Amino acid sequence: MLQKSSTQLPLSRLPLQSKVSQSQRAGRPGCGDSRGAAALKGHLTDNVTPVKPSKELRPMLGAILLGLILFIAAVVAWCYYTVSLRKAERLKTELMDLRADGFVIRNQHGEVVFRLAFRSGSLDLESCSKEGEILSCSRSSRGPLNFFIQTVKPKDTVMCYRCHTMFWEDAHWYGGSEMSIQHWPIRLAGYQEPVPYVTSDVYSFRDSFGGILERYWLSSKAAAIKINDSVPFHLGFNATERALFFQARYKDSPYKPPPGQQPFPELSYRVCVGSDITSIHKYMVRRYFNKPSKIPAENAFRYPIWSTWALYKKDINQDKVLNFARDINKYHFNCSHIEIDDMYTQAYGDFDFDPVKFPNVTEMFAKLREDGFKVTLWIHPFIHIDSPNFGVGIERQLFIKEPSGWLPAMVEWWNGIGAILDFTNPAARDWFQSHLRQLRHKYGISSFKFDAGETSYLPKQFSTFRPLSDPSIWSRRYTEMAIPFYELAEVRVGYQSQNISCFFRIIDRDSVWGYELGLKSLIPTVLTISMLGYPFVLPDMIGGNFLPNKTEGAVEIPNRELYVRWLELSAFMPSMQFSIPPWLYDKEVVEIAQKFTQLHESLVAPLLLELAGEVTDTGDPIIRPIWWISPRDEATHRIDSQFLIGDTLMVAPVLEMGKQERDVYLPAGKWRSYKGELFEKTPVLLTDYPVDLDEVAYFLWVS
């Protein structure tokens, strides 16, 4: 590989630098024709008398000699250039051209869709050869390397390249990971040297990559990139150049080589090119991603989830839970289940209720069951020193340890400092799940909200029961804890976890309008997670968390207009989740909430359940970008405020403060609006389409 195993992918178009010159077409001497130089040399040897030149002739002879040297140098350079051209021509493979400074890949229409530029040296093309479908090189300008590209043609409409070392072209790109500032398509800001591409909590660490991420990117020009799982992968970017930097590195990195292997990183990945963006994505999902084997409980799709978090925070107790349930029934709302969130225990790491806050917990659960409520509990992987389970974890060696392997590694999270369970250890997994099963048996708990799980809460140096070459594998092991409780389970990390059949929650939102963890970020985030192979997406709580300094235009509860627009958007998502209840506002807001929860139940949920049943076979997302049904319509590639549910229901919510209208793009087809209007002359942009405060613009496909 090239030194540092580093590559750069610019998002801008650069001109190719390999044009044939006019002199070559005019027939100047090439590397196969040196007769001009030989004839000149013979003439000088046979006819010039060797006498001492006069002083007047010396400058002339010097000029002739210099001209001769320059002429010979030009011929040699031209020969080298011609040989390089011929070499490069021989190294072409299908839709890819290899050059010393990188390579380009074209789609089936001849457009450049992917450009790679080497950042740490150039290839010695003389060391390159092509045998069958494998093109390999053994040297670079910085020494020996092992570089190869293999052409793979799995089907007539797809061409793939297995690459072993990475300028992004003029296209729109999607995928990667959840981000704190989420755009669709990807939009970068600033400059970032390559950093480990591992799961992180983007609510607490805003410049990191998110808790749900995959090594997968997709281009509007039908190119897709999948980084191999074995790569110690680092990602950086330069917004000025619209470029991403790919790098493989073990030094100063949380990645470790597999046991018994030398720390020699390889930047290996596959680039596939298809006929259009939708078809290439379908191919990549079927080829590289697992699919859910089951679907979550029907009620989670059909009825709202009610969480205690945003309303009560840590100040939760038995009376508040019962009052919350009473008000849900009082205002005639349906309920999938109630989530009891943070600090229902005495200490973090306990697996039972605080007897002071919950003096009659058995009676509380009996009352909730009598009133028709299922209950789930908030859970996490941390054990604090003041919990009796800390001593148990020490004794049984259940925790992630310091590098020495003797002491537990104490870690800091948003609720303090504690040890963290080592889910690579079967004993820790069994111990953790046994407590969850006991809670289910003792109180009739239906499932759990699995919080945290990102590698950002692991120490920089640590040791685990089973060595981790990639620290994000620990996140995957944590999500596996949800499998026995999948029907109503909720997790917020995802890495190679598409087979886990539960809802994946996007990271907490602030009560703001914008793209940084605000209302406008919801659609880009849900689309991104859906395209990464996670179809059951929970868009977090309606109205956001409502935390001090992280809200707009309100004092005690989220801004009224923001809350209503958030509610309306959530009604078209795979699941709705309330925490700030609508009855804290006025009668109109309660009526709007009732209207849209009923619309979700009657119109949206049946379609969601139908699509969920197909996911186990196809892997197709439930929430889809507009380009899904019009992949060659370039206008659809930039739309980040509309989405599809399947192929037949298109939603265009209002996401701007103070607006009661919006532009709506209708792709090719016949569409009927929620108002009954029929649109047949499409594609068309409806400008300033009126949408009242109690409305969402949505359109149904007409067969």
Side-chain angles (χ1 to χ4, degrees):
M1 74 203 66
L2 297 177
Q3 296 294 320
K4 296 185 182 178
S5 298
S6 179
T7 54
Q8 177 174 341
L9 298 91
L11 291 157
S12 58
R13 181 181 298 276
L14 294 182
L16 299 179
Q17 303 294 326
S18 58
K19 296 182 179 179
V20 179
S21 69
Q22 292 292 333
S23 59
Q24 183 182 11
R25 289 194 290 267
R28 290 191 178 181
C31 59
D33 185 356
S34 59
R35 289 176 295 175
L40 178 61
K41 180 179 179 183
H43 178 77
L44 289 172
T45 302
D46 295 340
N47 296 293
V48 177
T49 304
V51 295
K52 187 176 182 180
S54 66
K55 291 182 179 181
E56 292 79 5
L57 292 175
R58 287 177 184 175
M60 184 181 299
L61 292 174
I64 292 172
L65 182 60
L66 178 60
L68 180 61
I69 293 171
L70 292 175
F71 177 76
I72 294 172
V75 170
V76 171
W78 186 254
C79 289
Y80 181 81
Y81 175 69
T82 305
V83 168
S84 297
L85 281 178
R86 293 174 180 172
K87 182 76 174 182
E89 189 66 28
R90 292 197 303 272
L91 296 177
K92 283 187 177 180
T93 172
E94 293 285 345
L95 303 175
M96 191 203 73
D97 296 342
L98 178 66
R99 294 179 172 82
D101 59 350
F103 61 79
V104 297
I105 294 177
R106 304 175 188 276
N107 64 14
Q108 296 169 354
H109 306 291
E111 300 173 295
V112 175
V113 296
F114 183 84
R115 184 190 300 273
L116 178 146
F118 301 131
R119 298 185 69 208
S120 50
S122 58
L123 285 178
D124 179 358
L125 293 181
E126 290 301 316
S127 74
C128 301
S129 61
K130 186 172 182 290
E131 295 184 12
E133 301 301 325
I134 297 179
L135 191 159
S136 60
C137 305
S138 59
R139 290 194 309 274
S140 76
S141 61
R142 303 182 69 171
L145 85 162
N146 177 23
F147 171 90
F148 78 84
I149 298 175
Q150 180 179 4
T151 304
V152 182
K153 197 168 185 178
K155 54 191 298 187
D156 291 340
T157 57
V158 176
M159 180 71 70
C160 295
Y161 299 92
R162 284 186 57 212
C163 308
H164 234 261
T165 153
M166 222 167 174
F167 259 118
W168 227 324
E169 277 308 311
D170 185 18
H172 301 291
W173 287 83
Y174 315 91
S177 73
E178 185 180 21
M179 304 285 283
S180 62
I181 301 176
Q182 197 90 47
H183 291 285
W184 179 272
I186 294 170
R187 195 188 309 168
L188 302 170
Y191 178 89
Q192 174 66 65
E193 282 292 328
V195 295
Y197 192 68
V198 294
T199 59
S200 184
D201 174 1
V202 292
Y203 192 84
S204 299
F205 308 99
R206 302 265 169 138
D207 294 331
S208 60
F209 304 111
I212 300 176
L213 88 172
E214 298 294 335
R215 302 169 167 203
Y216 171 67
W217 289 266
L218 179 68
S219 159
S220 60
K221 289 190 176 179
I225 304 169
K226 178 66 174 66
I227 308 293
N228 286 9
D229 295 343
S230 60
V231 176
F233 182 51
H234 294 63
L235 180 64
F237 53 83
N238 185 337
T240 303
E241 298 179 359
R242 299 182 67 233
L244 291 181
F245 307 140
F246 286 3
Q247 188 181 76
R249 187 176 82 233
Y250 285 120
K251 185 178 180 182
D252 301 324
S253 162
Y255 296 102
K256 306 297 178 187
Q261 292 188 18
Q262 295 297 315
F264 298 140
E266 291 184 350
L267 182 51
S268 54
Y269 52 90
R270 182 166 293 205
V271 180
C272 293
V273 181
S275 57
D276 62 67
I277 183 173
T278 303
S279 62
I280 191 62
H281 175 70
K282 287 185 175 184
Y283 167 78
M284 297 297 285
V285 167
R286 287 158 175 73
R287 175 67 179 82
Y288 293 108
F289 293 163
N290 293 316
K291 295 189 290 293
S293 57
K294 305 173 183 177
I295 63 173
E298 180 178 326
N299 281 0
F301 291 97
R302 195 175 294 279
Y303 307 127
I305 300 166
W306 297 82
S307 170
T308 65
W309 167 248
L311 182 60
Y312 299 115
K313 302 296 192 295
K314 295 181 182 180
D315 190 22
I316 188 65
N317 59 40
Q318 180 172 316
D319 289 340
K320 289 177 179 177
V321 171
L322 291 172
N323 289 338
F324 196 40
R326 181 201 63 212
D327 286 341
I328 294 170
N329 282 337
K330 174 183 175 181
Y331 289 96
H332 309 293
F333 286 98
N334 287 322
C335 176
S336 168
H337 56 277
I338 292 175
E339 285 181 350
I340 299 178
D341 210 286
D342 196 349
M343 216 57 212
Y344 59 88
T345 59
Q346 283 185 299
Y348 293 114
D350 292 354
F351 292 93
D352 210 339
F353 286 82
D354 182 341
V356 175
K357 288 185 170 186
F358 295 86
N360 300 299
V361 65
T362 302
E363 294 179 15
M364 179 188 77
F365 279 108
K367 173 62 175 171
L368 290 170
R369 281 193 298 274
E370 180 184 332
D371 292 341
F373 291 99
K374 293 183 178 180
V375 179
T376 65
L377 294 180
W378 177 77
I379 203 73
H380 55 82
F382 306 100
I383 310 292
H384 281 204
I385 195 168
D386 52 353
S387 169
N389 286 323
F390 184 82
V392 175
I394 294 287
E395 180 182 351
R396 300 189 184 182
Q397 301 187 39
L398 305 178
F399 299 137
I400 286 177
K401 298 177 182 178
E402 292 182 346
S404 65
W406 293 100
L407 298 175
M410 304 302 289
V411 299
E412 185 175 2
W413 61 304
W414 66 87
N415 277 332
I417 297 175
I420 190 165
L421 290 165
D422 180 1
F423 294 108
T424 73
N425 185 346
R429 295 200 299 266
D430 292 344
W431 180 83
F432 185 71
Q433 286 202 330
S434 70
H435 280 288
L436 302 188
R437 286 193 298 270
Q438 287 173 17
L439 281 167
R440 183 169 61 180
H441 177 73
K442 186 175 182 180
Y443 300 118
I445 299 298
S446 295
S447 189
F448 300 90
K449 172 183 177 178
F450 293 82
D451 211 355
E454 299 88 354
T455 65
S456 51
Y457 293 112
L458 298 177
K460 288 185 177 181
Q461 298 293 329
F462 62 89
S463 64
T464 50
F465 180 82
R466 289 204 172 98
L468 291 175
S469 56
D470 180 350
S472 293
I473 298 298
W474 178 81
S475 297
R476 187 172 75 191
R477 296 287 174 259
Y478 179 52
T479 60
E480 289 169 354
M481 297 298 96
I483 291 175
F485 314 98
Y486 77 95
E487 290 186 305
L488 293 178
E490 172 187 324
V491 299
R492 79 172 200 187
V493 290
Y495 178 67
Q496 302 176 4
S497 305
Q498 294 91 343
N499 62 304
I500 298 174
S501 305
C502 66
F503 274 94
F504 284 78
R505 175 173 67 89
I506 69 176
I507 199 68
D508 303 48
R509 304 285 114 171
D510 291 327
S511 300
V512 298
W513 288 90
Y515 285 100
E516 183 173 356
L517 299 178
L519 177 60
K520 287 183 182 178
S521 72
L522 254 68
I523 296 174
T525 303
V526 172
L527 288 175
T528 297
I529 293 172
S530 296
M531 298 307 289
L532 296 178
Y534 298 91
F536 311 129
V537 186
L538 180 63
D540 203 50
M541 301 168 192
I542 292 167
N545 266 337
F546 197 76
L547 291 170
N549 304 319
K550 294 181 179 179
T551 186
E552 285 177 345
V555 178
E556 296 179 353
I557 51 178
N559 171 268
R560 180 181 186 271
E561 183 186 3
L562 173 68
Y563 183 85
V564 169
R565 293 305 192 189
W566 207 307
L567 160 66
E568 293 167 347
L569 169 55
S570 294
F572 292 88
M573 288 292 169
S575 186
M576 300 180 71
Q577 187 176 62
F578 284 102
S579 188
I580 300 292
W583 53 83
L584 295 186
Y585 294 90
D586 50 54
K587 181 181 178 183
E588 184 186 14
V589 173
V590 172
E591 291 173 348
I592 293 173
Q594 290 169 339
K595 170 185 174 179
F596 278 95
T597 54
Q598 291 167 6
L599 182 68
H600 179 86
E601 180 181 341
S602 62
L603 173 69
V604 182
L607 180 56
L608 293 171
L609 289 164
E610 178 185 345
L611 293 165
E614 298 171 1
V615 161
T616 55
D617 293 325
T618 66
D620 291 345
I622 292 175
I623 303 299
R624 301 171 183 176
I626 302 302
W627 51 249
W628 187 267
I629 57 172
S630 296
R632 292 186 174 88
D633 182 350
E634 294 186 3
T636 66
H637 298 161
R638 301 182 300 274
I639 295 175
D640 69 346
S641 62
Q642 298 176 219
F643 61 93
L644 291 163
I645 305 175
D647 292 345
T648 59
L649 177 56
M650 184 173 63
V651 187
V654 173
L655 306 175
E656 298 279 351
M657 181 171 59
K659 295 288 187 180
Q660 294 199 21
E661 67 283 325
R662 62 156 295 160
D663 293 349
V664 178
Y665 185 77
L666 297 178
K670 188 185 294 186
W671 298 93
R672 189 177 299 280
S673 79
Y674 67 107
K675 300 176 183 179
E677 307 150 304
L678 183 63
F679 297 92
E680 297 183 85
K681 296 180 180 180
T682 56
V684 62
L685 177 64
L686 308 177
T687 58
D688 295 329
Y689 186 79
V691 187
D692 291 341
L693 181 63
D694 64 343
E695 294 181 321
V696 169
Y698 64 89
F699 303 79
L700 292 166
W701 177 275
V702 180
S703 299

